[in-house]
Amino acid sequence: CSWNTSADGKGTTYNGGDVTDKLNTQTLYAVCAANTYTVTYNPNGGSGTMTNDTATYNSNYITKKNTFIKTGYTFNGWYKDSSFKEKVDNDIVIENATYYAKWDINLYTLKVDPNKGIYDNSMEVKEYNLAYNTKMKLEEPSASYKITYDLNNNDVVIDKNEDFILRKFKNWTDEEENIIENTYVFNK
């Protein structure tokens, strides 16, 4: 703090130990500036940089927008502790503070379409929801099945009394018809 001839701090400033040459009555006002503290952002396994920030003592501090990234994860806010018990969007800072990024693992859906074959005892499309970077081994679907096809705009069904058309499983493909291996990694 310092002393000033004006309550708003815009007059003449006197620091502790200063001597005034004014012999008449003079009123001096205490002018204090609040302490500032450093706010640090911990990426908690994320990558990138965020500069430290400053906060004024006992005033409302609003956390910065996150700029860290973590592949396969979604940012889920800033926390006052690394065990994620107290989420913080704004805070009253009274000392240096560190805020920790919380990350939620992304979930991905894989749709397995046996394309009229049998997969996992079913002809239905199956959906699997697994976390980022989880591996799932894709089993080969059954190789023989009945087919319905169109012949001159008339549906023809080869029923169980006729010969089945035998087809051999070739490979799995993604939606863009790219061949994928039998182990699918959920990371896209």
Side-chain angles (χ1 to χ4, degrees):
C1 289
S2 61
W3 296 100
N4 197 287
T5 56
S6 177
D8 63 6
K10 294 182 179 177
T12 303
T13 300
Y14 296 96
N15 293 310
D18 286 353
V19 176
T20 179
D21 60 356
K22 307 281 185 208
L23 298 175
N24 57 351
T25 302
Q26 187 174 18
T27 302
L28 296 177
Y29 300 91
V31 178
C32 297
N35 293 335
T36 58
Y37 294 97
T38 301
V39 176
T40 304
Y41 291 90
N42 183 316
N44 189 33
S47 62
T49 58
M50 285 185 67
T51 57
N52 290 344
D53 205 2
T54 56
T56 303
Y57 173 80
N58 208 30
S59 63
N60 189 36
Y61 175 80
I62 299 172
T63 57
K64 290 170 116 180
K65 180 180 178 184
N66 174 50
T67 60
F68 295 122
I69 60 170
K70 187 172 181 180
T71 303
Y73 292 78
T74 300
F75 177 72
N76 188 12
W78 295 112
Y79 284 75
K80 286 185 171 186
D81 52 57
S82 59
S83 58
F84 312 113
K85 292 181 181 167
E86 191 174 350
K87 190 171 186 174
V88 60
D89 293 318
N90 58 352
D91 195 12
I92 302 297
V93 176
I94 58 172
E95 61 187 354
N96 291 333
T98 300
Y99 299 134
Y100 298 86
K102 181 178 181 195
W103 301 99
D104 290 337
I105 195 162
N106 292 340
L107 297 178
Y108 296 88
T109 301
L110 174 67
K111 291 182 181 179
V112 178
D113 185 346
N115 197 21
K116 298 190 172 73
I118 296 176
Y119 182 81
D120 197 18
N121 298 317
S122 174
M123 292 179 69
E124 301 296 320
V125 174
K126 300 253 181 172
E127 288 189 11
Y128 299 91
N129 295 306
L130 295 172
Y132 170 76
N133 237 10
T134 300
K135 293 183 180 182
M136 178 182 162
K137 183 170 175 63
L138 298 174
E139 302 300 325
E140 190 173 306
S142 65
S144 59
Y145 44 85
K146 292 197 311 185
I147 297 196
T148 301
Y149 61 95
D150 186 330
L151 181 64
N152 298 327
N153 292 325
N154 296 312
D155 284 341
V156 176
V157 177
I158 301 172
D159 67 25
K160 62 183 179 183
N161 296 327
E162 298 185 42
D163 292 333
F164 286 110
I165 296 174
L166 297 177
R167 294 198 176 181
K168 178 155 176 37
F169 176 74
K170 186 174 179 183
N171 54 269
W172 290 105
T173 60
D174 63 18
E175 290 175 348
E176 287 83 36
E177 299 299 322
N178 299 310
I179 296 172
I180 59 175
E181 297 179 21
N182 282 358
T183 301
Y184 192 83
V185 180
F186 291 79
N187 62 9
K188 292 185 180 181

